[in-house]
Amino acid sequence: MAESQKPERRMRPCPICSKLSTPDDYPFCSDRCAKIDLNRWFSEGYTIPVVETDDIDESNFLDEDRS
């Protein structure tokens, strides 16, 4: 029987430190960088800022049916 091998992947820069990734820790360069990334997810470091606005008062707009 043939041993199962991981598929060949291109070497890419690590998203944390920009060193080249390794096959064992892809897409990271090391276990340390993978854990840093995981911590960022757990601490909600990867969030999209949201700008909250007040509700718009629609009574100030003209109704198209009235024109």
Side-chain angles (χ1 to χ4, degrees):
M1 278 195 233
E3 290 184 31
S4 61
Q5 295 178 349
K6 291 184 179 180
E8 289 289 324
R9 293 186 173 164
R10 279 189 348 193
M11 299 288 282
R12 293 191 153 163
C14 173
I16 303 301
C17 70
S18 299
K19 292 180 184 176
L20 286 179
S21 61
T22 61
D24 293 335
D25 298 305
Y26 188 83
F28 305 102
C29 69
S30 65
D31 185 52
R32 177 183 176 273
C33 284
K35 287 179 180 176
I36 290 171
D37 183 71
L38 185 61
N39 182 51
R40 289 180 183 173
W41 281 103
F42 285 148
S43 64
E44 297 181 3
Y46 295 131
T47 57
I48 299 172
V50 176
V51 177
E52 294 189 25
T53 58
D54 294 335
D55 291 337
I56 297 173
D57 184 12
E58 294 179 10
S59 64
N60 294 334
F61 296 107
L62 291 175
D63 190 8
E64 292 181 15
D65 294 334
R66 293 183 188 176
S67 27

